[in-house]
Amino acid sequence: MQAINEEEEKKEILRRYRRLLRLAKPYLNGDDAKQIKRAFNLSVEAHRDMRRKSGEPYIYHPLSVAEISVREIGLGTTSIVAALLHDVVEDTHVELEDIEREFGPKISRIIDGLTKIAGVFEYGTSQQAENFRKMLLTLSDDVRVILIKLADRLHNMRTLDSMPQDKQLKISSETIYLYAPLAHRLGLYAIKSELEDLYLKYTQPGVYRDIAKAISSSKDARRRFIRKFIEPIETTFGRQHFSKEQFVVLGRPKSIYSIWNKMNTKKIPFQEVYDLFAVRIILDVPIEDEKAACWKAYSVITDFYNPNPERLRDWISTPKSNGYESLHTTVMSPSGQWVEVQIRTRRMDEIAEKGYAAHWKYKDKPTASRQSGLEEWIAQVRTILEQAKSENAASAIEFVDDFRSNLFNEEVFVFTPKGELRTLPGGATALDFAFDIHTEVGAHCLGAKVNQKLVPINYILQNGDQIEIITSNKQKPNEGWLRFAISSKAKGKIKEILKEEKKAEAAEGKEIVKRKLRQMKMELSSQVIEQMTDYFNVKTPLELYYQVGEGVIPSTSLKRFKEDTERDKAKASGQINDAKTFKKTVSQIKGEDQAILLIGEDQDIIDYKLAKCCNPIPGDNVFGFVTVNEGIKIHRTNCSNAPELMSNYGYRIVQAEWTQKKESAFLSSLRINGTDRVGLISDISDIISSELKVNMRSFQMDTDEGIFEGNIMLYVHDRRHLDKLIKRLERIAGVEKVTRNVSL
């Protein structure tokens, strides 16, 4: 262990504090510096004996969070003070009342929003989801809570190296599940990209390293290409349109995560990702000349390079709802490579990088009327949150899921019959549009006329559609509407209307459940309710009570529930339904240092199954998830369900790793694409069966105009065995690509 040099640490703390003050200087007024100093002194004192996992003094963390808040988000004094104090109530002896007395109610409310809920949580609830809900509900009071939390999360992700792997996976999964989408929605693109990259670094380190290495090795070639590409543009700009001080042309690579995402969704290797970088043109012109200047720049670019008409995005005339403004075009370079070009002004660039805070900086400028999208979104979210506060019925997990669905802001721009522009989430339907107009219009929506043509309520809106809603007083929402609604506003209102109708029936159903459980000598506990919702395949307790009240679930089924539950308990007496119990059990058998599930060895200790959603095989990075009724399920760490499981149910996650002492066969699935020829199937079969001695369960192949696609189900020993098979198949003449299917 490294010796601690207290004098050096004190000097370093002061250096970091002075750097923070220098960064904050443009934002300071009156007694602001004194208030920051008081907050700094209190934080130093409160965290005096605390250290981070890396061994550093804990005070480095709040100082870094405050610095990110200023430098990368553009927040002012209130946020700096809150960032310096954000952990003192949660981690030290300081109380919320002390903060309010010393710094006032505003800072106290922000700190409260940033402080996790303490105490013991009942079985079946999610502490993580409850904490997410508490933090998100503060958005209706002060958006700075979310912004400081993003700064906190960014610093935690930057310093994740010192944490054990299971914590890295949990924190990374929370980040991709909630915090990166939040950053995106608030226009913090730089932070969003870094959070996504760091998520990939800790969940799929091999993939991250490979892409980073490929980007680095192509750096010189990319620099030469960009220099050659922008040369004629810069020359023409300088001669005809703008002075040298008025423009800058930059070339920057796409983020590692966005490249990986493209490789993953399009099933292509790194070499085939054509838009590895973007060229950005930033203009420094008066605010009233911005639009004309950006289109003038576009005209210069298209004089030299042919644009792809399908790839023109005008977010200057219609900014994104998070305030993002830019003109995007994709043009063909002389070498036959597509290049994305982004054109924006310095003001637009600052809003794109610093999002919400920069948006408010320019709020009173002449273009403010065009920048109301972010304000509108915040207002909408506040309405949804206020509704959630008053209800308290939805579970924390349901609340977080609903909120999260409102964060992905691919958008569609449509018009009312009077020509008013409305922005809705991508995939929104005529029903979403009706609720966006007014709750009453939505509740009585019968259909719509889109561009003068009659369409049903589930019609998916397209950019430029003009929509007129048709209503009827006899129409009312039903459960099926929730399948068509995409926006949080529509979903929330439909649920609210349905809940009112359901409450009377549900109250009667709850009494029936209570009475029946008493007869069966069972208690109406949260654990029993969770088991019942799982058993009857309903999402919420309200739905369970409603179905009992309506007779959909007869009282005889409640008796069968008890019998089946008791039989399952007897059958799986060795089954463990709690992660802490699991760790304790394994520790007793193996010793304190090995509270980890060894797949291939520990089935005698505890029952586990391989998850069908991702089909892990030996060699894959995995984790265990404790289910309510099915024991422990093993998932790959890059399973599509992993972020949600780790974010909402972190307390049920169990560390797991492979330890295959004997050779076993695991079912896996491959997709093969290429050009068809005589003898191809025979060559593929020979490699699989004869050369590599792999057993096939099925082989399906479709051919269309000389192009084939095949799906093979086969048994392999482990990841190495599968990788070897893929490499051999890729060498067969005519085979273009072989990829592993995630699900069977």
Side-chain angles (χ1 to χ4, degrees):
M1 190 176 168
Q2 198 175 351
I4 295 168
N5 188 329
E6 288 188 12
E7 281 308 308
E8 276 305 311
E9 285 184 348
K10 281 179 185 173
K11 286 177 187 173
E12 180 59 25
I13 291 166
L14 277 174
R15 270 197 295 273
R16 293 180 184 219
Y17 170 63
R18 285 171 185 148
R19 185 171 67 208
L20 174 64
L21 285 180
R22 282 197 302 277
L23 289 167
K25 199 172 181 182
Y27 303 94
L28 302 184
N29 296 304
D31 290 338
D32 286 356
K34 286 181 183 174
Q35 194 178 25
I36 291 170
K37 187 177 181 181
R38 286 207 324 274
F40 167 69
N41 287 335
L42 175 57
S43 189
V44 168
E45 180 58 31
H47 295 300
R48 185 178 55 195
D49 299 322
M50 293 171 62
R51 292 193 169 265
R52 303 195 83 209
K53 289 279 184 188
S54 60
E56 294 178 334
Y58 194 87
I59 188 63
Y60 286 5
H61 172 63
L63 278 167
S64 297
V65 173
E67 187 173 323
I68 291 167
S69 300
V70 181
R71 189 203 296 269
E72 298 176 54
I73 305 179
L75 297 173
T77 301
T78 301
S79 301
I80 294 168
V81 169
L84 287 169
L85 300 171
H86 78 275
D87 275 338
V88 294
V89 172
E90 189 178 314
D91 295 340
T92 76
H93 63 279
V94 178
E95 302 284 343
L96 208 55
E97 292 76 19
D98 302 329
I99 300 289
E100 185 165 351
R101 194 166 48 250
E102 187 68 25
F103 297 97
K106 191 188 291 180
I107 301 241
S108 173
R109 275 197 303 272
I110 294 173
I111 302 294
D112 186 31
L114 291 163
T115 303
K116 288 177 188 163
I117 302 167
V120 178
F121 282 74
E122 287 186 15
Y123 180 93
T125 60
S126 166
Q127 184 168 357
Q128 285 158 286
E130 294 288 357
N131 282 316
F132 287 153
R133 171 154 68 176
K134 183 190 178 194
M135 178 191 72
L136 293 170
L137 285 171
T138 61
L139 185 57
S140 61
D141 301 320
D142 198 325
V143 72
R144 284 174 293 196
V145 173
I146 306 291
L147 296 171
I148 295 164
K149 188 64 190 174
L150 285 169
D152 176 41
R153 179 51 55 123
L154 180 58
H155 187 249
N156 281 333
M157 287 296 288
R158 284 174 177 173
T159 54
L160 209 53
D161 276 328
S162 53
M163 300 294 277
Q165 194 204 11
D166 61 319
K167 287 280 195 290
Q168 289 177 348
L169 287 172
K170 178 183 163 295
I171 292 166
S172 298
S173 295
E174 286 178 358
T175 299
I176 204 70
Y177 186 71
L178 189 66
Y179 293 107
L182 258 175
H184 184 114
R185 201 60 186 76
L186 291 167
L188 296 156
Y189 287 102
I191 287 177
K192 171 241 184 192
S193 293
E194 189 176 349
L195 288 174
E196 288 175 339
D197 280 0
L198 289 166
Y199 159 78
L200 195 61
K201 179 182 176 183
Y202 291 107
T203 56
Q204 296 193 63
V207 171
Y208 178 88
R209 279 194 304 271
D210 289 346
I211 296 174
K213 191 176 174 184
I215 290 172
S216 180
S217 63
S218 62
K219 192 176 180 180
D220 291 339
R222 192 169 61 245
R223 196 181 286 138
R224 285 194 298 274
F225 178 89
I226 291 169
R227 194 161 53 239
K228 192 175 177 183
F229 180 87
I230 66 178
E231 196 175 302
I233 300 170
E234 285 187 316
T235 305
T236 309
F237 270 21
R239 279 186 197 152
Q240 298 175 18
H241 302 285
F242 305 98
S243 68
K244 278 192 175 179
E245 294 74 36
Q246 281 186 304
F247 74 91
V248 60
V249 185
L250 308 166
R252 54 171 62 191
K254 292 285 181 80
S255 72
I256 293 172
Y257 180 86
S258 66
I259 292 169
W260 169 78
N261 203 31
K262 188 152 284 188
M263 289 166 62
N264 212 31
T265 52
K266 296 198 172 182
K267 307 289 181 195
I268 55 174
F270 177 85
Q271 295 74 17
E272 290 178 31
V273 179
Y274 72 82
D275 52 349
L276 286 169
F277 60 87
V279 170
R280 185 174 296 168
I281 295 167
I282 302 169
L283 307 171
D284 195 357
V285 294
I287 205 161
E288 61 273 12
D289 298 336
E290 286 185 335
K291 193 171 180 180
C294 288
W295 282 107
K296 196 185 285 181
Y298 172 81
S299 175
V300 171
I301 290 155
T302 52
D303 283 345
F304 291 99
Y305 305 112
N306 290 323
N308 181 342
E310 300 292 315
R311 301 275 298 174
L312 178 63
R313 301 285 182 269
D314 178 8
W315 285 306
I316 293 175
S317 303
T318 50
K320 286 189 178 185
S321 56
N322 59 10
Y324 180 85
E325 291 176 84
S326 193
L327 190 60
H328 290 200
T329 183
T330 302
V331 298
M332 181 63 78
S333 69
S335 63
Q337 186 175 348
W338 288 110
V339 179
E340 184 184 71
V341 182
Q342 302 167 353
I343 305 163
R344 60 178 71 154
T345 64
R346 196 170 293 284
R347 177 190 67 83
M348 295 173 191
D349 191 57
E350 192 175 351
I351 287 172
E353 293 299 312
K354 291 186 176 174
Y356 187 88
H359 165 80
W360 287 101
K361 176 180 170 181
Y362 291 101
K363 185 173 179 283
D364 298 324
K365 305 282 175 161
T367 56
S369 60
R370 292 208 330 260
Q371 292 185 60
S372 60
L374 189 55
E375 287 178 77
E376 282 175 13
W377 181 75
I378 294 288
Q380 276 179 21
V381 168
R382 282 181 174 148
T383 305
I384 295 162
L385 293 174
E386 287 302 329
Q387 180 186 317
K389 273 183 183 177
S390 63
E391 278 183 15
N392 280 331
S395 71
I397 290 167
E398 193 182 354
F399 169 83
V400 173
D401 284 346
D402 280 353
F403 181 86
R404 189 172 165 271
S405 70
N406 200 38
L407 295 177
F408 297 96
N409 78 328
E410 283 301 316
E411 294 162 339
V412 61
F413 300 98
V414 293
F415 295 91
T416 66
K418 292 183 178 178
E420 180 195 344
L421 178 70
R422 294 269 176 159
T423 306
L424 289 158
T429 60
L431 186 62
D432 289 299
F433 179 85
F435 275 100
D436 195 59
I437 297 296
H438 194 277
T439 301
E440 284 302 305
V441 175
H444 299 293
C445 176
L446 193 63
K449 276 186 180 177
V450 175
N451 308 326
Q452 307 305 313
K453 185 182 171 186
L454 200 62
V455 298
I457 61 173
N458 63 346
Y459 168 82
I460 296 171
L461 305 177
Q462 306 298 314
N463 276 322
D465 279 349
Q466 190 167 28
I467 305 138
E468 181 186 345
I469 298 297
I470 300 164
T471 60
S472 165
N473 286 331
K474 292 179 182 177
Q475 178 73 308
K476 63 177 189 175
N478 59 58
E479 288 284 345
W481 282 23
L482 289 170
R483 295 199 306 273
F484 311 140
I486 295 294
S487 68
S488 289
K489 183 177 181 180
K491 276 185 176 177
K493 291 296 179 187
I494 294 165
K495 283 179 183 176
E496 194 180 332
I497 294 164
L498 292 175
K499 268 180 187 172
E500 285 307 311
E501 292 179 2
K502 277 184 177 181
K503 272 178 183 174
E505 284 292 342
E508 193 180 327
K510 189 172 184 180
E511 288 307 311
I512 294 170
V513 171
K514 276 183 180 175
R515 194 165 59 245
K516 201 71 188 168
L517 287 176
R518 266 199 309 271
Q519 288 170 11
M520 296 186 295
K521 296 186 169 49
M522 290 177 78
E523 239 183 87
L524 186 70
S525 65
S526 57
Q527 182 172 355
V528 169
I529 290 300
E530 185 176 5
Q531 287 171 341
M532 288 178 85
T533 54
D534 191 64
Y535 180 84
F536 292 111
N537 197 26
V538 292
K539 282 192 170 181
T540 62
L542 181 74
E543 184 61 32
L544 172 74
Y545 300 141
Y546 173 72
Q547 288 195 19
V548 171
E550 283 280 277
V552 177
I553 298 173
S555 54
T556 51
S557 296
L558 297 176
K559 189 180 177 185
R560 197 166 62 247
F561 155 75
K562 186 192 179 187
E563 289 166 359
D564 288 352
T565 306
E566 285 178 349
R567 189 176 62 249
D568 288 346
K569 265 186 191 172
K571 193 168 142 189
S573 56
Q575 199 177 81
I576 294 171
N577 57 9
D578 173 74
K580 282 183 181 172
T581 310
F582 164 80
K583 286 172 185 169
K584 193 176 174 184
T585 304
V586 180
S587 301
Q588 285 167 355
I589 297 165
K590 294 187 168 186
E592 285 298 327
D593 297 334
Q594 289 194 46
I596 187 166
L597 178 60
L598 299 175
I599 308 156
E601 182 185 277
D602 284 349
Q603 208 143 10
D604 295 338
I605 301 171
I606 187 165
D607 188 31
Y608 59 82
K609 294 171 187 169
L610 303 180
K612 289 180 181 174
C613 52
C614 56
N615 295 294
I617 61 175
D620 289 333
N621 290 325
V622 291
F623 66 93
F625 178 70
V626 183
T627 64
V628 177
N629 290 328
E630 294 184 88
I632 290 177
K633 284 202 171 173
I634 307 302
H635 292 261
R636 286 160 64 183
T637 55
N638 61 349
C639 171
S640 57
N641 292 319
E644 183 179 357
L645 294 177
M646 291 190 191
S647 295
N648 286 332
Y649 304 99
Y651 62 98
R652 290 194 194 173
I653 300 299
V654 168
Q655 278 184 277
E657 62 183 44
W658 297 97
T659 170
Q660 286 301 110
K661 290 187 177 175
K662 60 181 182 191
E663 236 176 42
S664 302
F666 292 84
L667 190 60
S668 196
S669 174
L670 294 178
R671 183 185 288 119
I672 305 182
N673 304 81
T675 51
D676 196 13
R677 63 173 173 79
V678 176
L680 181 69
I681 293 179
S682 175
D683 289 349
I684 291 172
S685 299
D686 282 347
I687 292 288
I688 294 171
S689 303
S690 306
E691 192 176 323
L692 290 174
K693 305 284 189 289
V694 173
N695 288 327
M696 273 192 291
R697 193 170 93 172
S698 66
F699 186 177
Q700 292 176 313
M701 187 163 136
D702 293 313
T703 304
D704 184 20
E705 308 252 339
I707 304 297
F708 82 88
E709 182 175 291
N711 282 292
I712 308 172
M713 303 270 280
L714 35 72
Y715 291 94
V716 294
H717 302 313
D718 53 30
R719 179 71 177 269
R720 254 184 321 191
H721 191 198
L722 184 66
D723 289 344
K724 184 180 178 184
L725 175 61
I726 289 171
K727 280 176 186 166
R728 284 293 292 111
L729 290 173
E730 283 176 336
R731 288 194 214 128
I732 296 172
V735 172
E736 288 291 316
K737 192 162 50 180
V738 183
T739 50
R740 179 180 174 187
N741 286 324
V742 175
S743 56
L744 301 181

